[in-house]
Amino acid sequence: MRKTSPATPLEDNADGVGVAAVNRALSLLAAFSKQRRSFTLTQLAEHTGLYKSTVLRLAESLEMAGYLYRDREGIYTLGPAPLQLASIYRSSLHPSEFVMPVLRELAALTGESAALYTRAGDKRLCAYRISSARAISDNVQQDELLSLDRGAGGHVLLAFAGEPGERYDAIRQGLLCLTMGERDQETAAIACPVFGVDQKLEGALSVSGPLHRFTPEAIQSMQGHLLAGAAKISTHFGGDPSVFLDRNPPTGT
């Protein structure tokens, strides 16, 4: 008797794009997440819409290859093979390969300069940067060291290093920091964190430019583009991009 689960079309469409058995096996691996780290055979079948017999055959193959592990109680968890692949993936990419395209997109969408800052002792380093195509823009160069306690990017780095205070509590809560004329009286910036594995801070993504162009409407638009960019970079670093959704507009000084 056929299953009536909403996910049943996965069985029916097995001869679609790609190799059916591979697609089904990948669906088992895709079922696992930080929120759901273990399954019984029945739960995997219900989650994927596959028959138990299909799940059992695929799981046996995945277990032999190290992608799944089944304990004595029949509970399935991920095996070591995905971690090995993730390590290879991270080591094969230089950060610039996925950071620079995001910065170029941010600069094009906002019309302002975009940068990724990392902490360097008691300073912040402009690790990657794309300058605005406009004739007038802020004057920061890639590899330049700036103050940590002045400017949106520096405040974000401090906030996620545990700096105390209401201002930093607000940044940790809202993930955004806006500064208006703080580092330079004619410059404004908005920044948010970029996360990696286990939501470890990897840097601060920033959009900056002349103060007069940071109108409330422009800030609102920049905020959305900035959070979307941070989500993309965080994904490549192994972070959780979902934390950047549905955030409120920043307030600044």
Side-chain angles (χ1 to χ4, degrees):
M1 182 174 178
R2 294 292 290 177
K3 295 167 67 75
T4 58
S5 165
T8 298
L10 186 59
E11 292 275 12
D12 296 333
N13 296 333
D15 295 326
V17 177
V19 179
V22 174
N23 291 338
R24 291 168 178 166
L26 290 174
S27 75
L28 296 187
L29 297 177
F32 293 88
S33 67
K34 288 185 177 180
Q35 292 72 39
R36 190 68 182 273
R37 303 187 183 200
S38 63
F39 290 87
T40 64
L41 177 63
T42 298
Q43 289 169 339
L44 270 176
E46 291 175 348
H47 188 89
T48 60
L50 297 171
Y51 293 120
K52 285 185 182 180
S53 58
T54 301
V55 172
L56 185 59
R57 291 195 304 271
L58 294 172
E60 287 175 347
S61 294
L62 290 170
E63 187 177 4
M64 289 178 60
Y67 288 90
L68 286 181
Y69 172 76
R70 184 184 184 188
D71 68 16
R72 294 180 179 179
E73 284 72 40
I75 304 298
Y76 289 96
T77 57
L78 288 177
L83 181 60
Q84 294 169 356
L85 291 179
S87 177
I88 294 170
Y89 167 75
R90 287 195 297 270
S91 65
S92 67
L93 280 179
H94 189 280
S96 64
E97 295 180 38
F98 53 83
V99 170
M100 294 303 286
V102 173
L103 295 186
R104 280 191 286 270
E105 182 179 37
L106 265 178
L109 290 171
T110 65
E112 305 298 349
S113 300
L116 181 69
Y117 291 94
T118 59
R119 187 160 183 170
D122 61 352
K123 300 286 185 180
R124 57 179 165 123
L125 172 70
C126 182
Y128 303 98
R129 177 180 166 91
I130 294 292
S131 295
S132 170
R134 291 174 157 181
I136 300 175
S137 64
D138 64 323
N139 185 25
V140 175
Q141 303 301 316
Q142 187 165 314
D143 296 328
E144 185 175 348
L145 288 170
L146 301 174
S147 173
L148 262 180
D149 60 358
R150 299 186 70 80
H155 290 308
V156 167
L157 294 174
L158 285 172
F160 289 91
E163 189 74 13
E166 291 184 7
R167 179 177 199 172
Y168 296 105
D169 289 339
I171 295 172
R172 286 185 283 269
Q173 177 66 30
L175 298 183
L176 286 157
C177 177
L178 171 68
T179 56
M180 305 285 280
E182 185 183 80
R183 185 185 63 82
D184 179 278
Q185 64 180 1
E186 297 179 352
T187 301
I190 181 171
C192 69
V194 168
F195 298 117
V197 176
D198 296 327
Q199 294 305 89
K200 177 184 176 183
L201 182 70
E202 294 287 346
L205 186 63
S206 171
V207 171
S208 59
L211 189 66
H212 69 272
R213 292 206 294 253
F214 276 61
T215 63
E217 296 77 13
I219 291 169
Q220 182 69 28
S221 176
M222 290 177 197
Q223 169 192 282
H225 295 312
L226 188 68
L227 291 172
K232 291 178 183 178
I233 296 176
S234 293
T235 297
H236 283 290
F237 276 127
D240 179 6
S242 67
V243 299
F244 297 100
L245 302 178
D246 301 323
R247 292 292 171 175
N248 294 322
T251 57
T253 57

